[in-house]
Structure formats: structure tokens, C-alpha cells
Amino acid sequence: MFEVAELGHKVAKKEYHERVPALRTELLVAQQALRKADFPVLILVSGADGAGKGSTVNLINEWLDPRYVRTYAFGPPTDEERERPPYWRYWSALPAKGRIGLYVGSWYSDPIAHRVRSDYTDAEFDTALARINAFEKTLVDDGALIIKFWLHLSKREQKKRLQRLEEDPETRWRVSKQDWEQLKIYDRFVHIAEHTLRATSTGEASWTIVEGSDARYRNLTVGQCILDRINHRLTENIQRDPPQPHLLPIAAPAPGTEPVSVLQAVDLKKTLGKDAYKTQLKTLQSRLGKLSRKALTKKVSSMVMLEGWDAAGKGGLIRRMTAAMDARVYQVIPVAAPTDEETAHHYLWRFWRHIPRAGHVTIYDRSWYGRVLVERIEGYTHQQDWMRAYTEICDFEEQLTRHGIVIVKFWVHIDREEQLARFKAREQTPHKQHKITEEDYRNREKWKAYEHAVNDMIERTSTDYAPWTIIAGNDKKYARVQALEVFCDRLEKAL
């Protein structure tokens, strides 16, 4: 694979200086056009030691407008990063639409290093590469342009570079004992690198191998490739038609033939008396308090998602949970319409940002499932986007649980009559009137469509590692106790 990159490509100094001004100008023009586009650009610079990765990154920053480029160099994880799933820091570093993210040391660095040191078996390494492919496909499917460079340097050139640096007193400090040790395992590194490039050079995000021995050739090749890829994408980036509401026609089934859905199977007649409620609530809150303190000690995090109908009682459930825990341990994230900053990123970006630290609890009042509920029904996103989201969400939650995070997902279910009664009660209660809007009544008209979407969501995303729990919510007291008991059971099992 690397043979072509060892052919000794060189560019004369005169040719280089003649070509650079025009190339830089065209890059800046393309970057200005990119600022108005609806996709981000990710440029990865990886490769052999001494192949010029750092110099290349510096050059790209010099040739482009640095105000719209953010450079990331991922070293060993910080304490904060270790407390979260591995991809948390990569999601946090994604550029917004119209911007460029420049990465030296990326999601490839750790898997390759682990395999070189034999920390990973072949199977574990292939699993890590599959994770990379899934991550990049998720970004590309959302519109991102990923440009990946592998800067190659032959073993002979790498040795010559180390010798030159050591001979000069001004640069001797740049050569360490580890550099010479790395040279000894050069062949193993190249073998693993070739496997990596073959496995991850996909149609969505292919690799460009660049010979790194001649700086002028390397600079021109990288610069021209970035220009060509951005311009090509700008040319083909034809806007799609606006998404349309996805209201499925609801045909009346023949009498006695209507299938029982997941929601229809819920017994909403269950109730709990006042005295029993007080006793059980006190017991469960005490239990949750003890479990949350134990989880903090053992660094076991929890994420609780509450979805449900308007006026289903999600806020009341949250208040009963938080009352049992230390306020320094939990945070509640009310999920509303995305901000401009959030809209400029992948829809999961804002949720990755709120993943709790080790031992902490994050409670979401609505969540990433809005992608397959409100965005689907109201036509805020295209059908192929929300259909793809089922897989992306399951993948997201699997990464969380693999890291040891406890995921608890509630759908709080009530019937239409109970919802209407609660709407009317809110209108008559001064401190609750702000909760009721015309939007709430408008959503009732789409009850069947939302019910269909909820059943789809539960069927497609209730997994063994992150199952859904449907809470019978017509009786608030029963619902609160049921939710607390499920949360305690899940947390206790994890501990």
C-alpha cells in the first residue's frame, strides 16, 4: 500500500513558490464559500513519526483563515475524559456547519498505539476500527465532509531524519530514546497502519496517502486535495426539499381485528392510595439516596430519560427523584428546541455534551428521542434522517452502557381523557397556567400519529442494555412510585 508513497516525489523550490500563491488564494475563496454551506469539514492528519504531521497542520492553519478553523491535538485522556465514554471527547470537538476541524492525533491514535503495543488482540483491534467506521458514517450521513491524510515516511528516511536532528545542537532535544525505540518496531507499525487504512478507507471517508519526505511536495499535495474535496462538495451540495410532516393515514380496522400495540397493552387503571403512596415514596427515596451515594463512591454514572405525553407528569417524577439525591450529584437537562449552535451540529452533539461524570446522575426531561417523535411528526427532519436515527441512537446508548453508565428510559403514558382533564386543571391553576399553550391542544389532534411513532420507537430502541419502561401515568402517585422503584432496581443491579 505504501510503495507508491516511497517513490521519492519531489517539487523544485521554484515550482513550489510559483504554485503556492494561487493555491492559497483558491483555498481562502473555497473557505469563504464553505462558511455559507450546511456541512462541516473534518481534516485528519495522521501518519508515521517524522513525516511532517505537525508542520502540515501549521501550514493548513497558515494558508486558511484561522478564525474559522479549530485545531485539536488529542493526547492521553484527561481525568474528565476518562470518566466518560471514549468518544465523548471526539464528539465534543466536532466543528459546526461551515467550519473546519483540524485534527492531529485523532480517534485513530489510541487503537493503533494499543495494537502496536499488543494491548489489543486482532479481534479487539478490528472492533475498534468498526467503531471508527460507524462514527464516521454517522457524521457523513449527517452531511459532514471528512478528509483523511496519512503521511508516510520510509524507514530509511525516518532514520535519516533522527540522525539529522541529533547532529544539530539546536534540534537535538527533539529526539528522545523513545523515538529510536519506535524506529525498531517500524515494520510492525507499518503493517498495522496498512491494515487500518484498508479497513477504514470507505466510500464515506477515504484515506489519501502522501509521501512525507519532501516538505514542498507534501504541502502542495495536501493543500490541493483539501481544495479539490471542498470545491467538489460545494458543487454537489444541492439543497434537499424541505422535510414534510410524516402523518400516516390511520385506516379504521375491521371490528375485532385491531392489533394491540405496546401502549394499548398498558393498564392505566392502576392506582395507589394516599397512605400507601406516602409510605412507599419515603422508603424508595431513602433507598435512592443511599444508592446514589454508593454510586458516587463506586463512580457508576446514571442517565435517566423521561419521555411521555404532554401533561403526563414527567416534572413530578423528576422532582421526586431529585428530592432523594444530593444536589451536587445530579443535573436536570430540560430539552427544548435546539439553539442555533446546536442546530449547526449533529443532533446527538448536544446530548454527548451532557454525559455525566463518574458517579453522577443526569436526568433528561425529553431527550434525543425527539428525533423520532416530534421531528418525525412535525416534519422538522427528512424521513431518511429520522429512520436512520433508530440505529444511531442504539449505537449511542450501547457506547454509554459499555462504559458502565446505567441508562433508564421511561415513557410516561396517559390516555387522551386524562390529558384533557389535566389541561383544564392547569388553566384553572394560576401557578400552572404557563404550562398550557395552544401548541398542547394542537398536538392532541395528532395523537394517533404520535402513538404510532412511540410504538415504533419502543419497538426499535428497547434493547437488552437500554430497555424502555412504560409507566402507567393516569394515577400520578402510582406513576411516581413505579418510576422510583425501577430506577432503584436498575441502579442496585449495576452496583
Side-chain angles (χ1 to χ4, degrees):
M1 177 178 286
F2 292 132
E3 289 83 358
V4 175
E6 296 182 6
L7 295 178
H9 298 96
K10 292 186 180 297
V11 173
K13 184 182 294 186
K14 181 180 178 182
E15 179 188 354
Y16 181 74
H17 289 300
E18 288 175 349
R19 291 176 58 185
V20 164
L23 178 57
R24 292 183 64 173
T25 301
E26 291 181 69
L27 280 167
L28 288 171
V29 171
Q31 187 182 15
Q32 290 302 310
L34 173 65
R35 288 178 55 196
K36 302 175 184 178
D38 66 346
F39 63 91
V41 176
L42 287 73
I43 302 175
L44 279 62
V45 181
S46 301
D49 291 338
K53 297 188 292 291
S55 299
T56 301
V57 168
N58 290 339
L59 186 82
I60 294 172
N61 273 304
E62 179 185 343
W63 285 2
L64 296 174
D65 187 335
R67 292 175 297 175
Y68 309 109
V69 180
R70 184 75 183 273
T71 301
Y72 299 92
F74 296 109
T78 64
D79 290 342
E80 185 180 18
E81 290 170 340
R82 278 193 291 269
E83 291 185 9
R84 294 179 170 90
Y87 275 72
W88 177 78
R89 60 174 176 168
Y90 306 131
W91 275 93
S92 300
L94 292 180
K97 294 175 182 177
R99 298 292 195 270
I100 295 174
L102 183 54
Y103 304 87
V104 53
S106 62
W107 36 93
Y108 287 92
S109 302
D110 280 348
I112 291 175
H114 282 305
R115 188 66 192 102
V116 169
R117 295 194 303 262
S118 297
D119 297 336
Y120 280 176
T121 63
D122 285 341
E124 289 171 331
F125 185 51
D126 286 340
T127 298
L129 298 184
R131 162 62 52 210
I132 288 174
N133 283 338
F135 173 55
E136 292 180 350
K137 187 177 189 305
T138 295
L139 301 182
V140 171
D141 284 345
D142 194 56
L145 171 61
I146 301 179
I147 306 172
K148 301 189 296 191
F149 295 106
W150 185 273
L151 306 186
H152 179 67
L153 200 64
S154 68
K155 187 174 184 179
R156 180 174 61 85
E157 288 294 334
Q158 195 174 70
K159 182 176 181 180
K160 285 170 60 177
R161 175 185 175 275
L162 292 176
Q163 290 172 337
R164 284 197 303 270
L165 291 173
E166 273 200 336
E167 290 169 359
D168 187 343
E170 297 295 325
T171 59
R172 189 174 297 153
W173 62 273
R174 295 174 60 185
V175 182
S176 66
K177 182 179 179 181
Q178 184 179 0
D179 291 323
W180 288 108
E181 291 297 322
Q182 289 292 106
L183 185 63
K184 294 179 181 178
I185 58 172
Y186 176 89
D187 293 335
R188 174 172 172 78
F189 170 79
V190 167
H191 174 73
I192 291 170
E194 286 185 337
H195 177 74
T196 301
L197 269 59
R198 282 195 298 269
T200 60
S201 194
T202 62
E204 294 86 9
S206 60
W207 283 98
T208 298
I209 302 173
V210 182
E211 183 182 7
S213 60
D214 183 76
R216 291 188 291 270
Y217 171 80
R218 181 185 67 227
N219 295 346
L220 289 176
T221 302
V222 169
Q224 189 65 51
C225 182
I226 293 172
L227 175 64
D228 292 344
R229 292 289 300 279
I230 292 177
N231 278 339
H232 181 267
R233 180 56 190 280
L234 288 169
T235 301
E236 70 172 10
N237 194 47
I238 301 173
Q239 295 291 332
R240 293 187 289 180
D241 292 332
Q244 300 297 321
H246 192 77
L247 298 179
L248 295 176
I250 307 298
T257 64
E258 182 176 2
V260 178
S261 69
V262 174
L263 294 184
Q264 291 170 336
V266 178
D267 183 1
L268 293 176
K269 296 179 181 178
K270 292 182 178 180
T271 60
L272 189 64
K274 186 175 181 181
D275 291 340
Y277 169 67
K278 288 183 177 180
T279 301
Q280 292 185 40
L281 179 65
K282 183 178 180 180
T283 300
L284 286 167
Q285 286 182 326
S286 174
R287 183 183 171 197
L288 179 57
K290 293 176 183 177
L291 287 169
S292 66
R293 292 191 292 274
K294 186 176 181 181
L296 181 62
T297 302
K298 293 198 169 187
K299 298 186 180 300
V300 176
S301 306
S302 300
M303 293 171 64
V304 182
M305 276 74 69
L306 287 111
E307 295 282 357
W309 300 106
D310 294 332
K314 297 183 293 297
L317 293 182
I318 292 172
R319 287 192 292 275
R320 271 65 186 182
M321 290 179 185
T322 56
M325 298 183 288
D326 186 335
R328 294 168 294 183
V329 171
Y330 69 82
Q331 64 172 338
V332 178
I333 307 295
V335 178
T339 64
D340 289 344
E341 181 188 22
E342 291 166 343
T343 302
H345 291 82
H346 191 283
Y347 74 95
L348 287 176
W349 177 78
R350 62 171 169 162
F351 301 110
W352 272 98
R353 299 170 76 196
H354 292 301
I355 291 175
R357 298 195 67 162
H360 289 236
V361 179
T362 299
I363 301 173
Y364 298 85
D365 185 354
R366 301 200 183 277
S367 66
W368 42 91
Y369 283 97
R371 186 71 162 187
V372 296
L373 294 174
V374 63
E375 292 187 36
R376 166 184 174 173
I377 300 303
E378 302 299 335
Y380 296 150
T381 191
H382 290 84
Q383 181 176 354
Q384 59 264 43
D385 294 333
W386 61 256
M387 284 291 290
R388 189 176 64 245
Y390 295 120
T391 300
E392 293 172 345
I393 288 170
C394 289
D395 181 70
F396 170 46
E397 292 176 352
E398 184 181 20
Q399 290 186 63
L400 302 179
T401 56
R402 281 183 178 274
H403 190 67
I405 296 174
V406 179
I407 295 181
V408 186
K409 303 188 300 193
F410 294 117
W411 174 265
V412 189
H413 188 49
I414 57 176
D415 59 34
R416 296 191 70 179
E417 293 73 20
E418 178 64 24
Q419 185 189 60
L420 182 60
R422 293 184 185 183
F423 282 2
K424 297 299 183 183
R426 285 180 173 182
E427 291 175 339
Q428 302 303 317
T429 307
H431 67 275
K432 291 185 178 181
Q433 288 174 350
H434 70 282
K435 292 185 175 182
I436 189 72
T437 66
E438 291 183 3
E439 185 80 5
D440 295 317
Y441 280 104
R442 191 182 68 82
N443 288 340
R444 279 179 57 82
E445 298 174 4
K446 301 179 181 179
W447 183 281
K448 281 292 185 181
Y450 271 100
E451 188 176 54
H452 186 89
V454 172
N455 280 304
D456 274 356
M457 174 190 76
I458 293 172
E459 178 182 345
R460 294 168 182 263
T461 63
S462 191
T463 59
D464 57 347
Y465 50 83
W468 277 99
T469 298
I470 304 176
I471 300 293
N474 269 15
D475 181 79
K476 291 183 178 181
K477 295 186 290 293
Y478 177 83
R480 292 164 183 171
V481 166
Q482 186 185 7
L484 279 168
E485 187 169 19
V486 170
F487 186 16
C488 287
D489 287 347
R490 295 289 304 280
L491 194 52
E492 190 171 63
K493 182 179 179 180
L495 292 170

